[in-house]
Amino acid sequence: MTTRPVPTIGERLARLGLPAGGITARRAVLPAPVQELHRRILADFAARGAPPDRAVVAGHAAAAGIDRAVGLEALTVMDLVAADPVTGTVTAAYPFSAAATRHRVRLATGVDVYAMCALDALGIPGMLGADAVIASTDPITGEAITVTRDNGRWTWRPATTVVLAAGLARADITGPEAAAADCSCPHINFHTGPDTAASYLRAHPGTGGETLTQPEAVEAAEHLFGRLMEAG
């Protein structure tokens, strides 16, 4: 009997419409100045719990040797950053969200940041090399969920918590609507157990995905975001 090879975490993410090589690999195709602008935007989120305003982004872009609008467009096209099309204000830089979401991450510095989804929330501590406490809720039951990273050790409450990595089918979706913020992020959540994850899929026709165990979710998050703050 032939044994099927176990899919890598990258292959599993790709099936969900997420970057198989992680966000770092997606960014790697961009010019070095644009990559540096991206790192500076992420650092501002981590330091302040909010995105940099237009003037600060312009300063970051100038320091990197590029125009603000050109740099933001490049990051937006690659679905690394989301910005208001009228004002140019940064609204998200995966894994961070400028708006409050279901997933709040309190960093060891005392700064609160919001994550776009559950995997993004798990990715923030590893990306920053910092401990954190994630506060979220099960979208089916409303029950509180807390995930703590302390000295690199993860604790999950309830202990039965899983992550549902789901999303809308993207085959017929094009343009801005194909961004992860629209297709995947609303459907990647913490659940108190596999049963509520299954209930979520039944309640949302058109979504598909898989339930990740705690170690699988951490591995996926680290694969997606683990090296984002590193220079080229």
Side-chain angles (χ1 to χ4, degrees):
M1 184 176 68
T2 303
T3 302
R4 292 184 178 181
V6 177
T8 65
I9 194 64
E11 291 169 339
R12 294 174 71 181
L13 291 172
R15 290 203 299 257
L16 299 169
L18 299 173
I23 302 297
T24 307
R26 174 181 285 178
R27 186 181 65 189
V29 303
L30 294 172
V34 180
Q35 295 188 44
E36 178 58 24
L37 174 61
H38 185 232
R39 278 188 288 271
R40 288 172 180 253
I41 291 173
L42 293 175
D44 281 338
F45 265 104
R48 301 173 51 248
D53 61 26
R54 281 174 54 95
V56 172
V57 173
H60 289 334
I66 55 173
D67 176 75
R68 179 194 65 82
V70 171
L72 274 185
E73 181 180 11
L75 293 172
T76 301
V77 167
M78 292 302 294
D79 196 23
L80 296 170
V81 166
D84 185 288
V86 176
T87 66
T89 302
V90 173
T91 57
Y94 307 109
F96 299 112
S97 171
T101 68
R102 183 187 302 276
H103 318 288
R104 189 190 73 212
V105 183
R106 173 157 290 179
L107 303 175
T109 58
V111 172
D112 284 340
V113 294
Y114 286 96
M116 296 293 290
C117 71
L119 288 180
D120 289 23
L122 291 170
I124 289 172
M127 181 185 77
L128 299 176
D131 291 333
V133 178
I134 300 167
S136 189
T137 57
D138 185 312
I140 294 295
T141 67
E143 185 175 345
I145 293 171
T146 303
V147 183
T148 303
R149 184 180 189 265
D150 184 12
N151 289 321
R153 181 176 179 273
W154 293 91
T155 304
W156 302 64
R157 297 289 183 270
T160 53
T161 297
V162 296
V163 171
L164 175 62
L168 298 174
R170 300 188 185 199
D172 299 321
I173 303 174
T174 59
E177 294 78 11
D182 301 296
C183 293
S184 302
C185 290
H187 308 289
I188 301 177
N189 292 299
F190 296 100
H191 290 264
T192 54
D195 289 347
T196 69
S199 296
Y200 184 92
L201 289 177
R202 289 194 297 269
H204 293 80
T207 60
E210 60 178 297
T211 300
L212 303 179
T213 65
Q214 294 168 10
E216 289 172 338
V218 170
E219 181 185 7
E222 292 179 348
H223 182 81
L224 285 169
F225 302 107
R227 298 176 54 225
L228 265 185
M229 298 306 292
E230 297 178 9

